[in-house]
mmCIF file of all heavy atoms in Angstrom:
data_model
loop_
_atom_site.group_PDB
_atom_site.id
_atom_site.type_symbol
_atom_site.label_atom_id
_atom_site.label_comp_id
_atom_site.label_asym_id
_atom_site.label_seq_id
_atom_site.Cartn_x
_atom_site.Cartn_y
_atom_site.Cartn_z
ATOM 1 N N ALA A 1 0.853 -1.172 -0.020
ATOM 2 C CA ALA A 1 -0.006 -0.023 -0.003
ATOM 3 C C ALA A 1 0.884 1.248 -0.021
ATOM 4 O O ALA A 1 2.099 1.161 0.305
ATOM 5 C CB ALA A 1 -0.917 0.015 1.245
ATOM 6 N N GLU A 2 0.302 2.360 -0.357
ATOM 7 C CA GLU A 2 1.000 3.639 -0.218
ATOM 8 C C GLU A 2 0.800 4.155 1.192
ATOM 9 O O GLU A 2 -0.325 4.353 1.678
ATOM 10 C CB GLU A 2 0.416 4.661 -1.207
ATOM 11 C CG GLU A 2 1.045 6.021 -1.161
ATOM 12 C CD GLU A 2 0.421 6.986 -2.136
ATOM 13 O OE1 GLU A 2 0.722 7.005 -3.303
ATOM 14 O OE2 GLU A 2 -0.451 7.772 -1.611
ATOM 15 N N CYS A 3 1.932 4.267 1.928
ATOM 16 C CA CYS A 3 1.879 4.575 3.364
ATOM 17 C C CYS A 3 2.277 6.033 3.627
ATOM 18 O O CYS A 3 3.199 6.591 3.014
ATOM 19 C CB CYS A 3 2.781 3.625 4.123
ATOM 20 S SG CYS A 3 2.384 1.917 3.949
ATOM 21 N N HIS A 4 1.561 6.585 4.546
ATOM 22 C CA HIS A 4 1.758 8.006 4.969
ATOM 23 C C HIS A 4 1.961 8.080 6.467
ATOM 24 O O HIS A 4 1.215 7.366 7.216
ATOM 25 C CB HIS A 4 0.581 8.902 4.528
ATOM 26 C CG HIS A 4 0.414 8.919 3.033
ATOM 27 N ND1 HIS A 4 0.915 9.920 2.202
ATOM 28 C CD2 HIS A 4 -0.254 8.017 2.217
ATOM 29 C CE1 HIS A 4 0.588 9.658 0.944
ATOM 30 N NE2 HIS A 4 -0.108 8.574 0.951
ATOM 31 N N LEU A 5 2.833 8.898 6.936
ATOM 32 C CA LEU A 5 3.185 9.003 8.370
ATOM 33 C C LEU A 5 2.867 10.413 8.905
ATOM 34 O O LEU A 5 3.244 11.408 8.280
ATOM 35 C CB LEU A 5 4.673 8.717 8.540
ATOM 36 C CG LEU A 5 5.249 8.940 9.961
ATOM 37 C CD1 LEU A 5 4.636 7.974 10.974
ATOM 38 C CD2 LEU A 5 6.774 8.808 9.965
ATOM 39 N N VAL A 6 2.159 10.415 10.022
ATOM 40 C CA VAL A 6 1.959 11.650 10.788
ATOM 41 C C VAL A 6 2.483 11.447 12.174
ATOM 42 O O VAL A 6 2.014 10.543 12.923
ATOM 43 C CB VAL A 6 0.469 12.053 10.827
ATOM 44 C CG1 VAL A 6 0.338 13.380 11.596
ATOM 45 C CG2 VAL A 6 -0.118 12.202 9.450
ATOM 46 N N ILE A 7 3.482 12.250 12.578
ATOM 47 C CA ILE A 7 4.041 12.187 13.893
ATOM 48 C C ILE A 7 3.271 13.200 14.737
ATOM 49 O O ILE A 7 3.344 14.369 14.470
ATOM 50 C CB ILE A 7 5.538 12.490 13.859
ATOM 51 C CG1 ILE A 7 6.274 11.455 13.032
ATOM 52 C CG2 ILE A 7 6.117 12.439 15.278
ATOM 53 C CD1 ILE A 7 7.698 11.746 12.675
ATOM 54 N N ILE A 8 2.521 12.730 15.727
ATOM 55 C CA ILE A 8 1.610 13.593 16.444
ATOM 56 C C ILE A 8 2.087 13.878 17.868
ATOM 57 O O ILE A 8 3.051 13.275 18.392
ATOM 58 C CB ILE A 8 0.228 12.889 16.535
ATOM 59 C CG1 ILE A 8 0.313 11.556 17.262
ATOM 60 C CG2 ILE A 8 -0.389 12.706 15.130
ATOM 61 C CD1 ILE A 8 -0.990 10.874 17.508
ATOM 62 N N ASP A 9 1.407 14.840 18.538
ATOM 63 C CA ASP A 9 1.622 15.160 19.919
ATOM 64 C C ASP A 9 3.043 15.542 20.246
ATOM 65 O O ASP A 9 3.633 15.175 21.253
ATOM 66 C CB ASP A 9 1.189 13.933 20.769
ATOM 67 C CG ASP A 9 1.078 14.309 22.274
ATOM 68 O OD1 ASP A 9 0.588 15.360 22.543
ATOM 69 O OD2 ASP A 9 1.486 13.419 23.099
ATOM 70 N N GLN A 10 3.673 16.335 19.385
ATOM 71 C CA GLN A 10 5.053 16.779 19.591
ATOM 72 C C GLN A 10 5.122 18.110 20.347
ATOM 73 O O GLN A 10 4.262 18.981 20.134
ATOM 74 C CB GLN A 10 5.762 16.832 18.300
ATOM 75 C CG GLN A 10 5.876 15.533 17.563
ATOM 76 C CD GLN A 10 6.448 14.426 18.393
ATOM 77 O OE1 GLN A 10 7.605 14.518 18.804
ATOM 78 N NE2 GLN A 10 5.667 13.373 18.699
ATOM 79 N N ASP A 11 6.147 18.284 21.124
ATOM 80 C CA ASP A 11 6.410 19.527 21.833
ATOM 81 C C ASP A 11 7.046 20.547 20.880
ATOM 82 O O ASP A 11 8.137 20.256 20.358
ATOM 83 C CB ASP A 11 7.351 19.235 23.043
ATOM 84 C CG ASP A 11 7.556 20.507 23.882
ATOM 85 O OD1 ASP A 11 7.178 21.606 23.492
ATOM 86 O OD2 ASP A 11 8.172 20.318 24.985
ATOM 87 N N PRO A 12 6.398 21.653 20.603
ATOM 88 C CA PRO A 12 6.925 22.603 19.608
ATOM 89 C C PRO A 12 8.245 23.222 20.067
ATOM 90 O O PRO A 12 9.011 23.722 19.260
ATOM 91 C CB PRO A 12 5.845 23.703 19.516
ATOM 92 C CG PRO A 12 5.056 23.561 20.815
ATOM 93 C CD PRO A 12 5.121 22.093 21.165
ATOM 94 N N ALA A 13 8.566 23.130 21.365
ATOM 95 C CA ALA A 13 9.786 23.754 21.883
ATOM 96 C C ALA A 13 11.017 22.844 21.746
ATOM 97 O O ALA A 13 12.124 23.278 21.970
ATOM 98 C CB ALA A 13 9.612 24.125 23.343
ATOM 99 N N CYS A 14 10.785 21.606 21.326
ATOM 100 C CA CYS A 14 11.885 20.629 21.220
ATOM 101 C C CYS A 14 12.117 20.178 19.826
ATOM 102 O O CYS A 14 11.188 19.630 19.171
ATOM 103 C CB CYS A 14 11.542 19.355 22.073
ATOM 104 S SG CYS A 14 11.412 19.719 23.859
ATOM 105 N N ASP A 15 13.313 20.440 19.330
ATOM 106 C CA ASP A 15 13.739 19.939 18.022
ATOM 107 C C ASP A 15 14.281 18.505 18.170
ATOM 108 O O ASP A 15 15.151 18.270 19.002
ATOM 109 C CB ASP A 15 14.802 20.830 17.381
ATOM 110 C CG ASP A 15 14.277 22.224 17.063
ATOM 111 O OD1 ASP A 15 13.108 22.331 16.689
ATOM 112 O OD2 ASP A 15 15.030 23.182 17.177
ATOM 113 N N ASP A 16 13.735 17.620 17.402
ATOM 114 C CA ASP A 16 14.116 16.214 17.494
ATOM 115 C C ASP A 16 14.902 15.788 16.218
ATOM 116 O O ASP A 16 14.307 15.735 15.146
ATOM 117 C CB ASP A 16 12.950 15.340 17.681
ATOM 118 C CG ASP A 16 13.267 13.891 18.071
ATOM 119 O OD1 ASP A 16 14.227 13.388 17.527
ATOM 120 O OD2 ASP A 16 12.551 13.347 18.964
ATOM 121 N N PRO A 17 16.199 15.541 16.305
ATOM 122 C CA PRO A 17 16.975 15.195 15.116
ATOM 123 C C PRO A 17 16.512 13.917 14.443
ATOM 124 O O PRO A 17 16.636 13.767 13.259
ATOM 125 C CB PRO A 17 18.414 15.130 15.617
ATOM 126 C CG PRO A 17 18.307 14.940 17.119
ATOM 127 C CD PRO A 17 17.071 15.659 17.531
ATOM 128 N N LEU A 18 16.001 12.975 15.227
ATOM 129 C CA LEU A 18 15.505 11.727 14.640
ATOM 130 C C LEU A 18 14.299 12.032 13.747
ATOM 131 O O LEU A 18 14.220 11.503 12.607
ATOM 132 C CB LEU A 18 15.076 10.733 15.714
ATOM 133 C CG LEU A 18 14.432 9.446 15.208
ATOM 134 C CD1 LEU A 18 15.383 8.676 14.253
ATOM 135 C CD2 LEU A 18 14.017 8.537 16.331
ATOM 136 N N LEU A 19 13.376 12.835 14.193
ATOM 137 C CA LEU A 19 12.196 13.149 13.386
ATOM 138 C C LEU A 19 12.623 13.942 12.140
ATOM 139 O O LEU A 19 11.995 13.725 11.059
ATOM 140 C CB LEU A 19 11.180 13.892 14.216
ATOM 141 C CG LEU A 19 10.695 13.250 15.516
ATOM 142 C CD1 LEU A 19 9.563 14.020 16.105
ATOM 143 C CD2 LEU A 19 10.282 11.801 15.212
ATOM 144 N N GLU A 20 13.546 14.801 12.235
ATOM 145 C CA GLU A 20 14.040 15.535 11.112
ATOM 146 C C GLU A 20 14.691 14.570 10.103
ATOM 147 O O GLU A 20 14.569 14.742 8.866
ATOM 148 C CB GLU A 20 15.047 16.584 11.520
ATOM 149 C CG GLU A 20 14.415 17.753 12.308
ATOM 150 C CD GLU A 20 13.219 18.394 11.571
ATOM 151 O OE1 GLU A 20 13.413 18.666 10.333
ATOM 152 O OE2 GLU A 20 12.183 18.659 12.172
ATOM 153 N N ALA A 21 15.427 13.570 10.608
ATOM 154 C CA ALA A 21 16.071 12.589 9.748
ATOM 155 C C ALA A 21 14.997 11.787 8.997
ATOM 156 O O ALA A 21 15.150 11.470 7.774
ATOM 157 C CB ALA A 21 16.938 11.682 10.538
ATOM 158 N N VAL A 22 13.908 11.440 9.683
ATOM 159 C CA VAL A 22 12.844 10.686 9.032
ATOM 160 C C VAL A 22 12.179 11.547 7.923
ATOM 161 O O VAL A 22 11.782 11.019 6.855
ATOM 162 C CB VAL A 22 11.793 10.227 10.069
ATOM 163 C CG1 VAL A 22 10.590 9.590 9.394
ATOM 164 C CG2 VAL A 22 12.433 9.234 11.017
ATOM 165 N N LYS A 23 12.028 12.858 8.179
ATOM 166 C CA LYS A 23 11.459 13.708 7.164
ATOM 167 C C LYS A 23 12.338 13.772 5.928
ATOM 168 O O LYS A 23 11.888 13.806 4.764
ATOM 169 C CB LYS A 23 11.263 15.108 7.696
ATOM 170 C CG LYS A 23 10.055 15.259 8.668
ATOM 171 C CD LYS A 23 9.873 16.680 9.111
ATOM 172 C CE LYS A 23 9.401 17.585 8.008
ATOM 173 N NZ LYS A 23 9.109 18.960 8.494
ATOM 174 N N VAL A 24 13.671 13.802 6.108
ATOM 175 C CA VAL A 24 14.609 13.865 5.006
ATOM 176 C C VAL A 24 14.678 12.539 4.241
ATOM 177 O O VAL A 24 14.738 12.485 3.047
ATOM 178 C CB VAL A 24 16.016 14.284 5.515
ATOM 179 C CG1 VAL A 24 17.044 14.199 4.380
ATOM 180 C CG2 VAL A 24 15.976 15.708 6.082
ATOM 181 N N ARG A 25 14.698 11.441 5.028
ATOM 182 C CA ARG A 25 14.753 10.086 4.411
ATOM 183 C C ARG A 25 13.494 9.336 4.894
ATOM 184 O O ARG A 25 13.534 8.601 5.882
ATOM 185 C CB ARG A 25 15.999 9.363 4.890
ATOM 186 C CG ARG A 25 17.296 9.916 4.293
ATOM 187 C CD ARG A 25 17.433 9.547 2.817
ATOM 188 N NE ARG A 25 17.505 8.078 2.674
ATOM 189 C CZ ARG A 25 18.609 7.348 2.735
ATOM 190 N NH1 ARG A 25 19.790 7.949 3.012
ATOM 191 N NH2 ARG A 25 18.597 6.047 2.575
ATOM 192 N N PRO A 26 12.347 9.524 4.272
ATOM 193 C CA PRO A 26 11.124 8.958 4.762
ATOM 194 C C PRO A 26 11.022 7.434 4.600
ATOM 195 O O PRO A 26 10.041 6.837 5.116
ATOM 196 C CB PRO A 26 10.078 9.634 3.896
ATOM 197 C CG PRO A 26 10.758 10.056 2.640
ATOM 198 C CD PRO A 26 12.152 10.329 3.070
ATOM 199 N N GLY A 27 11.960 6.753 3.930
ATOM 200 C CA GLY A 27 11.901 5.316 3.859
ATOM 201 C C GLY A 27 10.680 4.839 3.112
ATOM 202 O O GLY A 27 10.434 5.243 1.987
ATOM 203 N N PRO A 28 9.859 4.042 3.779
ATOM 204 C CA PRO A 28 8.689 3.441 3.150
ATOM 205 C C PRO A 28 7.515 4.377 3.031
ATOM 206 O O PRO A 28 6.463 3.981 2.442
ATOM 207 C CB PRO A 28 8.358 2.254 4.021
ATOM 208 C CG PRO A 28 8.796 2.694 5.388
ATOM 209 C CD PRO A 28 10.036 3.480 5.164
ATOM 210 N N PHE A 29 7.589 5.572 3.518
ATOM 211 C CA PHE A 29 6.482 6.521 3.516
ATOM 212 C C PHE A 29 6.472 7.463 2.349
ATOM 213 O O PHE A 29 7.520 8.040 2.010
ATOM 214 C CB PHE A 29 6.431 7.340 4.850
ATOM 215 C CG PHE A 29 6.226 6.471 6.063
ATOM 216 C CD1 PHE A 29 7.307 6.171 6.954
ATOM 217 C CD2 PHE A 29 5.006 5.878 6.311
ATOM 218 C CE1 PHE A 29 7.082 5.396 8.055
ATOM 219 C CE2 PHE A 29 4.800 5.028 7.429
ATOM 220 C CZ PHE A 29 5.827 4.807 8.309
ATOM 221 N N ALA A 30 5.297 7.652 1.748
ATOM 222 C CA ALA A 30 5.139 8.559 0.631
ATOM 223 C C ALA A 30 5.149 9.994 1.137
ATOM 224 O O ALA A 30 5.498 10.916 0.385
ATOM 225 C CB ALA A 30 3.842 8.235 -0.110
ATOM 226 N N SER A 31 4.774 10.211 2.382
ATOM 227 C CA SER A 31 4.800 11.562 2.996
ATOM 228 C C SER A 31 4.992 11.458 4.443
ATOM 229 O O SER A 31 4.558 10.456 5.130
ATOM 230 C CB SER A 31 3.509 12.301 2.664
ATOM 231 O OG SER A 31 2.439 11.797 3.365
ATOM 232 N N VAL A 32 5.638 12.430 5.043
ATOM 233 C CA VAL A 32 5.845 12.525 6.512
ATOM 234 C C VAL A 32 5.589 13.968 6.943
ATOM 235 O O VAL A 32 6.130 14.946 6.414
ATOM 236 C CB VAL A 32 7.345 12.188 6.878
ATOM 237 C CG1 VAL A 32 7.561 12.361 8.387
ATOM 238 C CG2 VAL A 32 7.658 10.770 6.449
ATOM 239 N N VAL A 33 4.666 14.097 7.941
ATOM 240 C CA VAL A 33 4.442 15.415 8.539
ATOM 241 C C VAL A 33 4.471 15.319 10.056
ATOM 242 O O VAL A 33 4.282 14.191 10.579
ATOM 243 C CB VAL A 33 3.059 15.995 8.081
ATOM 244 C CG1 VAL A 33 3.016 16.274 6.588
ATOM 245 C CG2 VAL A 33 1.919 15.061 8.471
ATOM 246 N N ILE A 34 4.769 16.415 10.694
ATOM 247 C CA ILE A 34 4.874 16.453 12.160
ATOM 248 C C ILE A 34 3.824 17.440 12.659
ATOM 249 O O ILE A 34 3.816 18.616 12.228
ATOM 250 C CB ILE A 34 6.269 16.895 12.591
ATOM 251 C CG1 ILE A 34 7.294 15.844 12.085
ATOM 252 C CG2 ILE A 34 6.311 16.981 14.139
ATOM 253 C CD1 ILE A 34 8.723 16.231 12.412
ATOM 254 N N TRP A 35 2.994 17.047 13.551
ATOM 255 C CA TRP A 35 1.951 17.871 14.183
ATOM 256 C C TRP A 35 2.297 18.068 15.624
ATOM 257 O O TRP A 35 2.488 17.130 16.366
ATOM 258 C CB TRP A 35 0.573 17.287 14.022
ATOM 259 C CG TRP A 35 0.066 17.259 12.655
ATOM 260 C CD1 TRP A 35 0.552 17.910 11.568
ATOM 261 C CD2 TRP A 35 -1.115 16.554 12.185
ATOM 262 N NE1 TRP A 35 -0.193 17.691 10.448
ATOM 263 C CE2 TRP A 35 -1.229 16.827 10.796
ATOM 264 C CE3 TRP A 35 -2.035 15.698 12.736
ATOM 265 C CZ2 TRP A 35 -2.229 16.308 10.009
ATOM 266 C CZ3 TRP A 35 -3.030 15.169 11.991
ATOM 267 C CH2 TRP A 35 -3.152 15.490 10.609
ATOM 268 N N ASN A 36 2.289 19.361 16.034
ATOM 269 C CA ASN A 36 2.563 19.665 17.438
ATOM 270 C C ASN A 36 1.357 19.458 18.344
ATOM 271 O O ASN A 36 0.199 19.455 17.867
ATOM 272 C CB ASN A 36 3.014 21.131 17.618
ATOM 273 C CG ASN A 36 4.403 21.338 16.966
ATOM 274 O OD1 ASN A 36 5.231 20.429 16.950
ATOM 275 N ND2 ASN A 36 4.649 22.538 16.442
ATOM 276 N N ARG A 37 1.583 19.315 19.643
ATOM 277 C CA ARG A 37 0.506 19.128 20.598
ATOM 278 C C ARG A 37 -0.221 20.459 20.688
ATOM 279 O O ARG A 37 0.325 21.524 20.838
ATOM 280 C CB ARG A 37 1.151 18.836 21.952
ATOM 281 C CG ARG A 37 0.149 18.545 23.058
ATOM 282 C CD ARG A 37 0.894 18.269 24.366
ATOM 283 N NE ARG A 37 1.908 17.156 24.129
ATOM 284 C CZ ARG A 37 3.185 17.253 24.491
ATOM 285 N NH1 ARG A 37 3.668 18.381 25.045
ATOM 286 N NH2 ARG A 37 4.023 16.261 24.262
ATOM 287 N N PRO A 38 -1.609 20.436 20.492
ATOM 288 C CA PRO A 38 -2.339 21.661 20.621
ATOM 289 C C PRO A 38 -2.286 22.316 22.014
ATOM 290 O O PRO A 38 -2.463 21.571 23.009
ATOM 291 C CB PRO A 38 -3.771 21.257 20.217
ATOM 292 C CG PRO A 38 -3.858 19.800 20.494
ATOM 293 C CD PRO A 38 -2.457 19.278 20.284
ATOM 294 N N ALA A 39 -2.109 23.591 22.092
ATOM 295 C CA ALA A 39 -1.950 24.243 23.355
ATOM 296 C C ALA A 39 -3.260 24.788 23.898
ATOM 297 O O ALA A 39 -3.374 25.070 25.085
ATOM 298 C CB ALA A 39 -0.919 25.386 23.259
ATOM 299 N N ASP A 40 -4.239 25.012 23.036
ATOM 300 C CA ASP A 40 -5.528 25.567 23.468
ATOM 301 C C ASP A 40 -6.624 25.100 22.490
ATOM 302 O O ASP A 40 -6.370 24.363 21.539
ATOM 303 C CB ASP A 40 -5.466 27.078 23.516
ATOM 304 C CG ASP A 40 -4.919 27.715 22.232
ATOM 305 O OD1 ASP A 40 -5.231 27.150 21.113
ATOM 306 O OD2 ASP A 40 -4.164 28.752 22.271
ATOM 307 N N GLY A 41 -7.826 25.596 22.787
ATOM 308 C CA GLY A 41 -8.942 25.183 22.024
ATOM 309 C C GLY A 41 -8.876 25.559 20.521
ATOM 310 O O GLY A 41 -9.251 24.793 19.632
ATOM 311 N N ALA A 42 -8.322 26.763 20.248
ATOM 312 C CA ALA A 42 -8.183 27.227 18.871
ATOM 313 C C ALA A 42 -7.216 26.318 18.087
ATOM 314 O O ALA A 42 -7.492 25.921 16.941
ATOM 315 C CB ALA A 42 -7.705 28.701 18.862
ATOM 316 N N GLN A 43 -6.099 25.942 18.695
ATOM 317 C CA GLN A 43 -5.146 25.055 18.038
ATOM 318 C C GLN A 43 -5.748 23.670 17.847
ATOM 319 O O GLN A 43 -5.455 22.992 16.835
ATOM 320 C CB GLN A 43 -3.884 24.964 18.823
ATOM 321 C CG GLN A 43 -3.035 26.226 18.796
ATOM 322 C CD GLN A 43 -1.657 26.040 19.430
ATOM 323 O OE1 GLN A 43 -1.207 24.936 19.697
ATOM 324 N NE2 GLN A 43 -0.981 27.151 19.687
ATOM 325 N N ARG A 44 -6.554 23.249 18.846
ATOM 326 C CA ARG A 44 -7.163 21.916 18.717
ATOM 327 C C ARG A 44 -8.212 21.917 17.548
ATOM 328 O O ARG A 44 -8.264 20.937 16.770
ATOM 329 C CB ARG A 44 -7.867 21.529 20.014
ATOM 330 C CG ARG A 44 -8.376 20.093 20.051
ATOM 331 C CD ARG A 44 -8.673 19.638 21.464
ATOM 332 N NE ARG A 44 -9.643 20.498 22.175
ATOM 333 C CZ ARG A 44 -9.307 21.288 23.205
ATOM 334 N NH1 ARG A 44 -8.051 21.299 23.653
ATOM 335 N NH2 ARG A 44 -10.154 22.010 23.775
ATOM 336 N N ARG A 45 -8.964 22.960 17.413
ATOM 337 C CA ARG A 45 -9.921 23.059 16.272
ATOM 338 C C ARG A 45 -9.150 23.054 14.949
ATOM 339 O O ARG A 45 -9.615 22.411 13.971
ATOM 340 C CB ARG A 45 -10.820 24.300 16.411
ATOM 341 C CG ARG A 45 -11.850 24.154 17.540
ATOM 342 C CD ARG A 45 -12.819 25.313 17.517
ATOM 343 N NE ARG A 45 -12.173 26.591 17.781
ATOM 344 C CZ ARG A 45 -12.016 27.139 18.992
ATOM 345 N NH1 ARG A 45 -12.437 26.418 20.040
ATOM 346 N NH2 ARG A 45 -11.463 28.278 19.198
#
C-alpha cells in the first residue's frame, strides 16, 4: 500500500533530530508530517 506517516503530539519547543532525519529520508512513507501538541482550543480546532 501507499503509506503516509503523521508524527503527532510533539512539543513545539523541542527539536528532534530523529524526526528531522525521518522527514529527509522517509523510507517506506510517501509523505511525512509532524503535528505539534495543541496548546488551546483554537489550536485543537
Side-chain angles (χ1 to χ4, degrees):
E2 180 183 278
C3 299
H4 299 263
L5 172 66
V6 180
I7 301 169
I8 61 175
D9 193 39
Q10 298 306 298
D11 185 349
C14 296
D15 293 327
D16 192 319
L18 174 60
L19 302 187
E20 291 304 317
V22 172
K23 286 183 69 176
V24 173
R25 290 286 300 272
F29 295 107
S31 69
V32 177
V33 295
I34 299 175
W35 290 348
N36 292 330
R37 183 181 307 129
D40 52 36
Q43 290 188 13
R44 188 164 55 248
R45 288 189 293 273

